[in-house]
């Protein structure tokens, strides 16, 4: 006698096959998203968010301030604004003098 799966069994196998394929596809999509993120980072890392030119890192009192080489915008990493705010007036003035033109 040849075993013939019931309709319910067949349905189960089809669904299982779909879920397996779906898993493979979702893994591909995940890798694609990671690749996109990596590409975006490579493209934008240390580039000015306003004009797209290179940012230059200035290390001042262990605060790494990024300044645009073109539009001279100043960018801070996460947590650095809090560090800047905590600077004493004298240190803050010095930080700004680093950025002033003369
Ligand atoms: Zn800029």
């Amino acid at each position: 006698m040849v075993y013939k799966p019931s309709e319910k069994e067949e349905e189960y196998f089809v669904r299982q096959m779909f879920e397996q394929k779906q898993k493979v596809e979702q893994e591909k999509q995940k890798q694609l998203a990671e690749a996109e993120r990596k590409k975006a980072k490579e493209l934008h890392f240390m580039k000015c968010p306003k004009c797209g030119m290179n940012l230059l890192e200035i290390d001042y009192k262990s605060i790494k301030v990024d300044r645009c080489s073109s539009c001279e915008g100043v960018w801070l990493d996460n947590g650095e604004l809090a560090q800047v705010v905590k600077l004493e007036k004298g240190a803050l003035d010095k930080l700004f003098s680093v950025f002033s033109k003369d």
Side-chain angles (χ1 to χ4, degrees), residues 48 50-53 68 70-73 75:
C48 176
K50 287 219 166 148
C51 74
M53 295 298 109
C68 179
S70 179
C71 74
E72 303 189 351
W75 314 105

Side-chain angles (χ1 to χ4, degrees), residues 4-101:
K4 194 176 172 291
S6 71
E7 228 165 87
K8 264 218 160 107
E9 277 179 305
E10 231 169 332
E11 201 186 293
Y12 173 79
F13 288 130
V14 169
R15 189 180 303 145
Q16 219 179 22
M17 203 149 43
F18 171 76
E19 282 170 3
Q20 267 174 8
K21 285 182 182 176
Q22 191 182 36
K23 226 177 248 175
V24 170
E25 216 44 51
Q26 283 171 343
E27 191 55 41
K28 272 191 216 161
Q29 285 167 16
K30 216 175 103 187
Q31 282 170 4
L32 202 70
E34 275 166 26
E36 283 294 314
R37 242 200 312 271
K38 214 179 142 201
K39 210 162 76 186
K41 190 180 173 179
E42 275 167 18
L43 205 62
H44 302 293
F45 186 69
M46 288 304 276
K47 301 284 182 205
C48 176
K50 287 219 166 148
C51 74
M53 295 298 109
N54 285 335
L55 295 177
L56 304 172
E57 194 180 73
I58 298 161
D59 202 330
Y60 182 77
K61 288 197 183 286
S62 81
I63 303 169
K64 289 181 170 59
V65 180
D66 301 319
R67 188 182 198 195
C68 179
S69 55
S70 179
C71 74
E72 303 189 351
V74 174
W75 314 105
L76 298 166
D77 287 343
N78 185 25
E80 285 178 343
L81 182 61
Q83 280 179 273
V84 168
V85 168
K86 279 184 202 145
L87 287 177
E88 285 168 33
K89 173 103 177 61
L92 203 57
D93 288 344
K94 269 192 195 129
L95 178 65
F96 283 115
S97 76
V98 169
F99 293 128
S100 68
K101 282 192 176 173

